[in-house]
């Protein structure tokens, strides 16, 4: 299985930003964990991070052409504002699992709205880095 993991704005600042919310492990730690999990599951993985909505949409569209079987996406703040990202996921028709490190259901009211959930096959939140592992496992089992 060819898997694409997409991380949205400010996730590259893990370990620096709001440690009480997102923990002390940094972005490289997350990349390492994702890589190890992908190897354990025997899937090919690419991780893409961008702070720009358009770049995320371009990468989702490219996935249509490059043989990507499934997407794991943490759209970060774009979760709550972007219609174009869920539109792109719908357009390419590739199954996507939405992941959030924090429990967005218990945070500010504006974080409790996710436009991406409408198009995701599954949404995982509040499990920290483990959420990415769960998403990879879910896609590996269900595809
Ligand atoms: C986040 C939650 C979002 O509300 C926030 O804007 C983020 C990260 C999470 O992983 O918990 O940047 O997606």
């Amino acid at each position: 299985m060819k898997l694409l993991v997409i991380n949205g704005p400010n996730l590259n600042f893990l370990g620096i930003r709001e440690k009480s919310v997102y923990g002390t492990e940094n972005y490289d730690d997350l990349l390492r964990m994702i890589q190890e999990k992908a190897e354990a599951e025997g899937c090919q993985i690419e991780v893409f991070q961008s702070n720009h909505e358009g770049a995320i949409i371009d990468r989702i569209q490219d996935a249509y052409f490059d043989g990507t079987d499934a997407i794991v996406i943490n759209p970060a703040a774009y979760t709550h504002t972007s219609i174009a990202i869920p539109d792109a996921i719908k357009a390419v028709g590739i199954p996507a699992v939405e992941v959030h490190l924090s429990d967005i259901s218990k945070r500010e009211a504006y974080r409790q709205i996710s436009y991406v959930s409408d198009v995701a096959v599954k949404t995982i939140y509040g499990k920290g880095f483990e959420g990415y592992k769960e998403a990879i496992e879910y896609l590996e089992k269900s595809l």
Side-chain angles (χ1 to χ4, degrees), residues 2-4 17 39 41-42 59-60 67 70 80 87-88 95 115:
K2 188 169 166 173
L3 198 63
L4 172 64
R17 72 185 293 211
E39 275 164 29
E41 294 287 335
R59 187 62 195 89
I60 293 168
H80 322 295
D87 274 358
Y115 297 112

Side-chain angles (χ1 to χ4, degrees), residues 86-122:
D87 274 358
I89 294 169
K90 231 194 298 186
V92 298
I94 298 171
V97 173
E98 175 189 10
V99 172
H100 299 283
L101 297 163
S102 64
D103 184 351
I104 52 172
S105 73
K106 296 208 171 76
R107 297 184 63 193
E108 299 94 328
Y110 63 83
R111 288 188 208 275
Q112 296 176 24
I113 296 158
S114 167
Y115 297 112
V116 175
S117 294
D118 293 344
V119 300
V121 293
K122 186 179 173 69

Side-chain angles (χ1 to χ4, degrees), residues 2-138:
K2 188 169 166 173
L3 198 63
L4 172 64
V5 178
I6 298 178
N7 285 317
N10 301 307
L11 288 168
N12 55 321
F13 258 49
L14 286 176
I16 301 168
R17 72 185 293 211
E18 300 173 87
K19 290 180 196 162
S20 60
V21 179
Y22 300 113
T24 53
E25 289 184 288
N26 65 29
Y27 192 63
D28 282 344
D29 296 327
L30 177 62
L31 293 181
R32 204 172 309 117
M33 193 223 70
I34 290 171
Q35 195 56 51
E36 280 168 12
K37 183 65 185 168
E39 275 164 29
E41 294 287 335
C43 58
Q44 193 189 329
I45 206 146
E46 180 194 323
V47 184
F48 175 81
Q49 191 277 327
S50 178
N51 295 323
H52 305 278
E53 185 177 13
I56 292 169
I57 292 157
D58 287 345
R59 187 62 195 89
I60 293 168
Q61 289 187 2
D62 286 348
Y64 180 79
F65 300 104
D66 72 9
T68 296
D69 298 302
I71 295 173
V72 173
I73 183 164
N74 182 346
Y78 289 138
T79 307
H80 322 295
T81 61
S82 175
I83 305 294
I85 289 174
D87 274 358
I89 294 169
K90 231 194 298 186
V92 298
I94 298 171
V97 173
E98 175 189 10
V99 172
H100 299 283
L101 297 163
S102 64
D103 184 351
I104 52 172
S105 73
K106 296 208 171 76
R107 297 184 63 193
E108 299 94 328
Y110 63 83
R111 288 188 208 275
Q112 296 176 24
I113 296 158
S114 167
Y115 297 112
V116 175
S117 294
D118 293 344
V119 300
V121 293
K122 186 179 173 69
T123 298
I124 299 165
Y125 52 82
K127 297 186 173 173
F129 285 11
E130 281 298 314
Y132 286 82
K133 281 193 189 174
E134 201 177 305
I136 294 168
E137 260 167 47
Y138 174 83

